[in-house]
Amino acid sequence: YLLVVIDKSGNALLVNNEYNIKTIQPIVLTTEDWKFDVANEQLQIGNNSINLKKIKGSSNQYQKPTKTPSETPVPTVTPNQDQGNNQTAANGNQSQNRPNQNIQNNMIDNSFGSTEFPSISLMNRHCNILGVKSGTNYLDFKYSVVDIKNEYQTIFVVVKSAGKEVARVDLNKDKNAYRIRGLQPDQEYELELRNTYMISGASVAKEELADSIVVRTNRSTATLSLERVTKKQLYVNLTLDPDYIIESGEIGLYVDHEKQSSLPIDVAEASKRDGWNFAIDYEAGTEIVIQTENCLYNNQTIKLNLKVKFMQY
C-alpha cells in the first residue's frame, strides 16, 4: 500500500511501512492500471477520469504554474537512466538502490511540463492530516506527526464553524487519531492542524499552520413517524439517533397552524432501538402537524427538525 497525503500546495507525503518521504513539486503516480495526478487530485483508471476533489471536498489550493518563454528546459531523466545508484532491472526489481529511488523509478511519472523528476527529501519535522471520518456529533480526526529531533512543543487541532473557533484540542504526537466530540449534526467545520516549536535564539515559540480540511458532520438519523390515526388520537413513534441523544424536549401538536397541546419526550424510551411509541389527543382540523421542539443537548437549545404533517378533508 501507499498512503498519499496532499498539503495545501499540492505536494505529497508518501507513507507506508517502509517509506516516509515528501515531494517538493507536483508528481503523478503511475502503475500499469492507473495514474494519480497528485496535485490536481485526478485519478485515471483506464479511460475513466475521477476528480477526487468532488467526492468529499479538499483543502488543496494547488494551481498549475504558467510557463514563461524565458524558462530553460532541464534535461530529461527516465526511470532506466542511472542517477548515481544502480539501474532498475527490467522486471522492476532493484539492487542496492536507496528506498526513495525505488519509488521514483517505479511509480512517479512527471507530466507537468517540466522534464525533471521531482526531488524527494526526508523531513525531520512535519505533521499532516491523514483523514477525517464524520459522525452525527463527532469527527474522527487522523493525523501524522514526524518529529525526529523532538522539536515540537505542542500539536493541536483548531475547530472552526463559520470562521469562528468553537474548540481547540491538544493532540499527542505519539498517537495518530482523536475523536472530536460535542459537534452539531449536518454542520460544516474547518479543522486546522497546528503546532508550536522553538526557533534558535527566540524566547517565544512559533505557531505554525501545518494542514487544514473542511468537512461536514452527518445528518441525524432520528425519526418521527405517524403510525396510526383515529378520530380522537394520533399514534406516533419517535426514535433518537444513538450518537445524538438529547437531554430533554417536547412534542408539539398544531391544528390549522395553532398549537393545541404538547407532550414531554420520554428520552429513555426514544433512545431504544424501537423508539418511543405514544398517543396524543387532537381535535378535528384540516392540517395536523406534530413536531419536536424545545430540545436540549449539552445544555443548549437545538433543533431536531423532526416534523410530521397530514391533511384531513
Side-chain angles (χ1 to χ4, degrees):
Y1 71 94
L2 182 67
L3 178 65
V4 182
V5 184
I6 308 170
D7 65 18
K8 298 179 74 172
S9 300
N11 297 320
L13 174 67
L14 309 177
V15 181
N16 62 16
N17 59 312
E18 295 184 14
Y19 307 108
N20 194 313
I21 55 183
K22 188 163 185 176
T23 64
I24 58 172
Q25 59 176 298
I27 63 169
V28 174
L29 302 179
T30 304
T31 70
E32 293 181 356
D33 302 318
W34 52 262
K35 286 187 177 182
F36 180 37
D37 181 340
V38 174
N40 294 295
E41 297 187 51
Q42 292 282 344
L43 178 62
Q44 185 78 30
I45 303 176
N47 295 325
N48 299 317
S49 181
I50 304 171
N51 187 346
L52 299 183
K53 289 183 179 181
K54 295 184 178 180
I55 295 178
K56 221 178 178 186
S58 175
S59 61
N60 182 2
Q61 298 177 1
Y62 170 78
Q63 292 184 350
K64 186 175 180 179
T66 303
K67 278 193 170 186
T68 61
S70 60
E71 290 182 348
T72 303
V74 291
T76 299
V77 182
T78 65
N80 292 327
Q81 190 171 341
D82 188 0
Q83 295 182 331
N85 296 285
N86 292 338
Q87 282 188 323
T88 302
N91 61 4
N93 294 328
Q94 189 178 40
S95 171
Q96 298 180 356
N97 268 14
R98 294 176 296 179
N100 62 343
Q101 187 72 24
N102 187 41
I103 290 182
Q104 218 177 39
N105 283 349
N106 286 283
M107 290 197 71
I108 297 176
D109 168 35
N110 191 330
S111 61
F112 287 84
S114 169
T115 53
E116 181 183 333
F117 269 99
S119 300
I120 300 179
S121 61
L122 293 171
M123 299 183 66
N124 291 329
R125 183 191 72 237
H126 63 267
C127 51
N128 299 84
I129 298 173
L130 299 182
V132 180
K133 181 180 179 181
S134 298
T136 307
N137 64 336
Y138 66 86
L139 294 171
D140 283 336
F141 180 74
K142 292 188 177 182
Y143 58 97
S144 170
V145 178
V146 175
D147 190 12
I148 297 174
K149 296 182 179 180
N150 199 30
E151 296 175 281
Y152 285 134
Q153 290 194 330
T154 59
I155 304 288
F156 57 97
V157 57
V158 175
V159 184
K160 293 182 177 180
S161 177
K164 296 182 179 180
E165 181 176 325
V166 296
R168 180 176 292 230
V169 181
D170 289 328
L171 302 173
N172 185 338
K173 69 178 182 180
D174 295 323
K175 305 290 184 179
N176 65 359
Y178 187 88
R179 174 165 287 189
I180 304 170
R181 301 178 183 272
L183 305 178
Q184 297 297 322
D186 196 25
Q187 181 74 41
E188 187 174 88
Y189 291 94
E190 181 180 8
L191 306 182
E192 295 182 346
L193 180 60
R194 292 180 171 269
N195 60 71
T196 58
Y197 62 95
M198 291 298 298
I199 300 177
S200 178
S203 58
V204 180
K206 180 180 179 180
E207 182 175 318
E208 175 185 60
L209 172 62
D211 206 352
S212 66
I213 191 171
V214 176
V215 294
R216 178 177 290 273
T217 49
N218 296 337
R219 291 185 178 182
S220 172
T221 60
T223 59
L224 182 68
S225 58
L226 183 62
E227 303 294 316
R228 187 160 60 96
V229 179
T230 66
K231 291 183 178 181
K232 293 184 179 181
Q233 286 188 316
L234 305 172
Y235 294 85
V236 186
N237 176 273
L238 171 64
T239 304
L240 295 176
D241 187 325
D243 290 328
Y244 196 61
I245 303 299
I246 61 174
E247 298 160 14
S248 63
E250 296 178 349
I251 298 293
L253 172 66
Y254 294 80
V255 178
D256 295 334
H257 307 289
E258 291 187 5
K259 188 170 184 178
Q260 191 176 96
S261 63
S262 63
L263 182 69
I265 294 174
D266 188 333
V267 175
E269 287 295 319
S271 303
K272 294 180 179 180
R273 181 177 180 179
D274 295 328
W276 171 45
N277 294 297
F278 62 95
I280 186 168
D281 297 333
Y282 77 102
E283 295 179 1
T286 302
E287 182 182 272
I288 313 296
V289 175
I290 308 165
Q291 65 184 32
T292 55
E293 52 192 23
N294 300 325
C295 296
L296 289 180
Y297 177 79
N298 279 349
N299 293 321
Q300 294 182 348
T301 301
I302 63 166
K303 292 182 179 181
L304 280 183
N305 295 323
L306 299 178
K307 179 186 292 187
V308 176
K309 180 172 69 173
F310 75 99
M311 309 294 293
Q312 292 191 126
Y313 300 100

